[in-house]
């Protein structure tokens, strides 16, 4: 891991992303608390999160094609500057007490549009600045930074919101929420600075229309058995888990746990701690296809037990412990899958394949969030137990298609371009 950090371009990328990930956690806590403070309606919370998810899902594949064609660094830089401006405007509205629900929807939609371009570019950048044999370590460090932010950020943000005011039962006391969004804005500024200091990255270019490039990426994924099955399984799992995690947990925290916003932060931090441990192991120990296959099947019933228990517990400490345990398995498997998919995909298609992988993670999120908001009006326990039962479906698919865990590298005509992808023009 020291080797990848010695590479200047990767080090700047990692530093900016690490700080930005911390800001993301402040946003993750502040946004649901703002919606609940303004409306008190869990269905509105689901709709706001869906408003961000729909444009992100629609634009993800197009963003992946652009990340292959042009410089992913440029796309990331522009995305951070746009989100900085939007967040500053939101801080002003929240701090001034003039925030309205339509403004929150506008922020959600804008962030969704920008994320459709940013996420594929972020996943396509490490293969441009690191050789293949260093990708696992580079991805591990990147995701460890994310998980450290998820461990520290939610608890810190939740405590700030709770301490400075921001109860999820009315408009009074929005100071803590404004401060949380202010921290998010500052991290966007820092990430934009580190990206600006990087050398430009050259795109691979294309003679075709961007939509043709998207079609080429989809065709590659469809005809590659491992990629195709992986996308389907991950999409199903995230459909079942996104709503309970992003909509169900803040509602549980505000209605069941005495600590309120602080409880929400602690639970998310516990999940991040587990993911951090799993990802740290994945960075130094790549499993054999046989071991990976066992883990890939077992993770779904394992998470099913965790989520079913979450729907029943009334103690914040127990909920945190459950999320720590669930995060360990999820973290180890996530970093391994992403690294192996990047290595087995031809370099000129990495942006599109990573966009498809991101789409499988986020594409059905809006539907999951709206459904979760509706189910929460009837039963919080039913939401988590129902999600747990549904996880048996991706478990069955993963077991049936056990051959997908054999990550044999594909012929890669663009190999060796990781170093060449750095544009020599200052």
């Amino acid at each position: 891991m020291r080797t990848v950090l010695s590479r200047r371009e990767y080090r700047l990328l990692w530093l900016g992303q690490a700080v930005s990930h911390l800001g993301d956690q402040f946003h993750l806590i502040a946004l649901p608390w703002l919606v609940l403070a303004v409306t008190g309606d869990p269905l509105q919370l689901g709709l706001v999160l869906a408003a961000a998810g729909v444009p992100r899902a629609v634009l993800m594949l197009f963003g992946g094609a652009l990340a292959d064609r042009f410089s992913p660094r440029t796309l990331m830089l522009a995305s951070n500057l746009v989100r900085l401006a939007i967040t500053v405007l939101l801080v002003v509205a929240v701090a001034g007490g003039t925030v309205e629900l339509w403004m929150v929807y506008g922020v959600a939609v804008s962030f969704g549009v920008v994320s459709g371009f940013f996420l594929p570019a972020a996943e396509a950048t490490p293969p441009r600045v690191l050789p293949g044999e260093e990708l696992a370590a580079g991805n591990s460090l990147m995701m460890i930074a994310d998980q450290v932010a998820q461990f520290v950020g939610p608890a810190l943000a939740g405590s700030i919101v709770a301490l400075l005011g921001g109860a999820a039962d009315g408009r009074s006391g929005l100071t803590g929420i404004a401060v949380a969004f202010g921290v998010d804005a500052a991290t966007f500024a820092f990430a934009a600075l580190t990206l600006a200091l990087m050398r430009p990255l050259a795109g691979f270019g294309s003679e075709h229309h961007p939509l043709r490039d998207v079609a080429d990426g989809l065709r590659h994924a469809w005809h590659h058995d491992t990629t195709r099955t992986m996308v389907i399984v991950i999409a199903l799992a995230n459909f079942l888990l996104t709503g309970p995690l992003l909509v169900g947990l803040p509602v549980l925290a505000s209605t069941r746990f005495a600590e309120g916003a602080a409880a929400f932060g602690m639970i998310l931090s516990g999940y991040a701690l587990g993911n951090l441990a799993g990802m740290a192991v994945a960075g130094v120990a790549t499993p054999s296809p046989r071991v990976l296959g066992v883990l890939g099947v077992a993770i779904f019933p394992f998470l099913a037990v965790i989520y079913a228990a979450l729907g029943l517990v009334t103690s914040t400490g127990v909920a945190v412990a459950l999320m720590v345990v669930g995060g360990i398995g999820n973290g180890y498997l996530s970093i391994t899958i992403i690294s192996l998919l990047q290595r087995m995909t031809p370099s000129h298609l990495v942006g599109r394949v990573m966009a498809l992988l991101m789409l499988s993670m986020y594409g059905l999120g809006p539907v999951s969030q709206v459904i979760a908001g509706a189910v929460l009006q009837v039963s919080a326990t039913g939401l988590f137990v129902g999600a747990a039962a549904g996880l048996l479906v991706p478990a069955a698919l993963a077991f049936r298609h056990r051959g997908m865990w054999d990550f044999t590298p594909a012929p890669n005509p663009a190999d060796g371009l990781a170093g060449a992808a750095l544009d020599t023009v200052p």
Side-chain angles (χ1 to χ4, degrees), residues 71-373:
S71 166
R73 164 192 167 273
T74 301
L75 293 176
M76 293 176 67
L77 177 58
S79 298
N80 280 329
L81 292 175
V82 170
R83 289 186 293 186
L84 170 61
I86 293 171
T87 306
V88 168
L89 291 176
L90 181 60
V91 169
V92 172
V94 175
T98 60
V99 65
E100 299 290 342
L101 185 59
W102 67 266
M103 299 178 187
V104 181
Y105 273 102
V107 170
V109 171
S110 300
F111 266 57
V113 170
V114 174
S115 294
F117 297 97
F118 179 84
L119 290 174
E123 294 298 329
T125 302
R128 302 281 191 97
V129 298
L130 293 174
E133 64 272 14
E134 295 179 7
L135 270 178
N139 283 322
S140 181
L141 278 173
M142 195 69 72
M143 296 187 73
I144 284 174
D146 186 16
Q147 294 306 310
V148 169
Q150 290 187 40
F151 174 58
V152 176
L156 180 59
S159 298
I160 288 175
V161 171
L163 180 64
L164 299 181
D169 57 1
R171 286 177 172 266
S172 61
L174 296 179
T175 302
I177 294 175
V179 171
F181 280 123
V183 172
D184 190 28
T187 62
F188 283 135
F190 182 84
L193 175 62
T194 58
L195 287 166
L197 291 174
M198 290 177 62
R199 291 170 57 195
L201 299 178
F204 290 108
S206 175
E207 298 178 354
H208 306 298
H209 190 279
L211 293 179
R212 168 69 180 276
D213 290 340
V214 170
D216 289 342
L218 290 173
R219 189 177 301 110
H220 167 82
W222 181 257
H223 290 293
H224 196 283
D225 291 342
T226 295
T227 305
R228 181 182 67 246
T229 309
M230 191 70 65
V231 165
I232 294 172
V233 170
I234 291 175
L236 285 173
N238 280 277
F239 168 72
L240 293 163
L241 297 177
T242 300
L245 182 65
L246 297 182
V247 182
L249 283 181
V251 172
L252 281 183
S254 65
T255 59
R256 184 179 295 181
F257 302 131
E259 297 86 352
F264 181 38
M266 286 188 287
I267 292 170
L268 290 184
S269 293
Y271 188 57
L273 178 62
N275 274 277
L276 178 61
M279 289 175 178
V281 175
V284 297
T286 301
S288 67
R290 180 181 179 85
V291 173
L292 185 58
V294 172
L295 293 174
V297 174
I299 187 65
F300 299 112
F302 176 66
L303 290 176
V305 173
I306 298 295
Y307 271 70
L310 276 174
L312 301 171
V313 301
T314 57
S315 165
T316 299
V318 174
V320 170
L322 287 170
M323 293 300 277
V324 169
V325 174
I328 293 173
N330 182 73
Y332 182 82
L333 199 61
S334 296
I335 189 68
T336 302
I337 288 174
I338 289 175
S339 298
L340 291 175
L341 277 177
Q342 286 177 337
R343 292 185 63 183
M344 71 186 295
T345 302
S347 295
H348 66 290
L349 292 172
V350 166
R352 279 163 279 184
V353 171
M354 288 297 102
L356 187 58
L357 181 64
M358 294 297 103
L359 181 61
S360 72
M361 293 179 179
Y362 301 116
L364 294 176
V367 180
S368 177
Q369 290 156 359
V370 172
I371 292 175

